[in-house]
Amino acid sequence: GAVVSQHPSWVICKSGTSVKIECRSLDFQATTMFWYRQFPKQSLMLMATSNEGSKATYEQGVEKDKFLINHASLTLSTLTVTSAHPEDSSFYICSASTDRAGANVLTFGAGSRLTVL
Amino acid sequence: AQSVAQPEDQVNVAEGNPLTVKCTYSVSGNPYLFWYVQYPNRGLQFLLKYITGDNLVKGSYGFEAEFNKSQTSFHLKKPSALVSDSALYFCAVRPHYGGSQGNLIFGKGTKLSVKP
């Protein structure tokens, strides 16, 4: 079946540094990828939708300059948390879809836990 | 406002007993409904979905869910629980109209604990 890989699975960084998280579709081409944020004991919140070759669409309240998303190929999307601060510490999860529309099931990555000191 | 409610933070079941994890939703139109499971330090795994058709949907690992339009519910069920079913379960809804495919509205999750 479809597999989505996220890297790194966990990262610790100092405040003010930038962190890049990769999301790869391993055995299929993902025309659309999604980035979520999950706080402890809370649900997933969609941050942005990235389409290959075009700018990401951010959800309301998500700072596009803070969370840079690049979807340069059909198998890779990256999320860069710029100038990270402790409040950015969270579990970031990506998912991928093979269809721009319809009810296809999303395939989720294992998540990346970011801790900003 | 559109929302998904999972009224129970945790459900405890003895192995071999039936289990139910509740989910209700408030979404305009006819939604697409999903159940996902999350094991510790793992991503979400798809269990089942309801798009249209038969209200009883069968999914992975022996799970099933019943769509009840009048009660706006989509409860997850399994006739006989296994210890390995212990995990965090998320109900999710995608409004049928508008928004991106990834714009799922997730419930807060229900922790299922199955004891031997």
Side-chain angles (χ1 to χ4, degrees):
Chain A
V3 177
V4 171
S5 173
Q6 268 187 255
H7 179 80
S9 55
W10 59 271
V11 57
I12 300 173
C13 70
K14 293 182 178 179
S15 184
T17 60
S18 295
V19 175
K20 180 186 286 187
I21 300 170
E22 294 185 346
C23 179
R24 295 181 183 272
S25 57
L26 297 185
D27 50 3
F28 66 101
Q29 292 184 329
T31 52
T32 306
M33 290 186 172
F34 308 93
W35 287 95
Y36 302 83
R37 186 172 179 177
Q38 185 181 24
F39 291 100
K41 298 185 179 181
Q42 295 190 30
S43 189
L44 283 74
M45 298 295 292
L46 179 66
M47 297 175 64
T49 301
S50 77
N51 294 302
E52 184 268 336
S54 63
K55 290 184 178 181
T57 302
Y58 290 82
E59 295 300 305
Q60 191 173 9
V62 178
E63 299 176 60
K64 58 183 66 178
D65 294 330
K66 174 75 170 177
F67 299 99
L68 301 179
I69 291 173
N70 183 278
H71 194 159
S73 77
L74 286 171
T75 59
L76 174 64
S77 175
T78 61
L79 167 68
T80 301
V81 183
T82 63
S83 187
H85 288 91
E87 58 265 29
D88 297 325
S89 299
S90 190
F91 195 52
Y92 293 89
I93 302 175
C94 72
S95 69
S97 167
T98 58
D99 194 350
R100 291 181 185 268
N104 282 352
V105 171
L106 297 176
T107 302
F108 286 82
S112 300
R113 186 165 299 284
L114 170 63
T115 300
V116 184
L117 302 177
Chain B
Q2 303 183 111
S3 64
V4 174
Q6 291 181 244
E8 302 152 317
D9 289 337
Q10 181 157 343
V11 170
N12 298 313
V13 178
E15 187 175 32
N17 284 1
L19 69 87
T20 299
V21 182
K22 297 179 180 178
C23 172
T24 59
Y25 63 90
S26 175
V27 175
S28 57
N30 296 317
Y32 298 156
L33 299 160
F34 303 83
W35 274 101
Y36 286 88
V37 59
Q38 185 179 33
Y39 296 98
N41 299 314
R42 302 279 295 276
L44 275 69
Q45 297 179 30
F46 169 76
L47 278 180
L48 50 79
K49 67 178 179 180
Y50 172 83
I51 305 300
T52 187
D54 194 350
N55 289 345
L56 183 63
V57 178
K58 293 186 183 297
S60 306
Y61 312 120
F63 283 94
E64 59 186 30
E66 185 167 12
F67 170 60
N68 188 317
K69 188 173 183 178
S70 62
Q71 296 184 6
T72 61
S73 67
F74 191 55
H75 301 331
L76 180 71
K77 299 182 179 183
K78 186 172 182 180
S80 178
L82 299 173
V83 173
S84 57
D85 293 330
S86 299
L88 189 59
Y89 290 81
F90 287 99
C91 179
V93 171
R94 180 190 166 208
H96 194 185
Y97 299 106
S100 70
Q101 184 180 347
N103 198 12
L104 297 176
I105 303 170
F106 283 90
K108 64 180 182 179
T110 298
K111 183 179 180 181
L112 173 66
S113 178
V114 182
K115 296 295 175 60

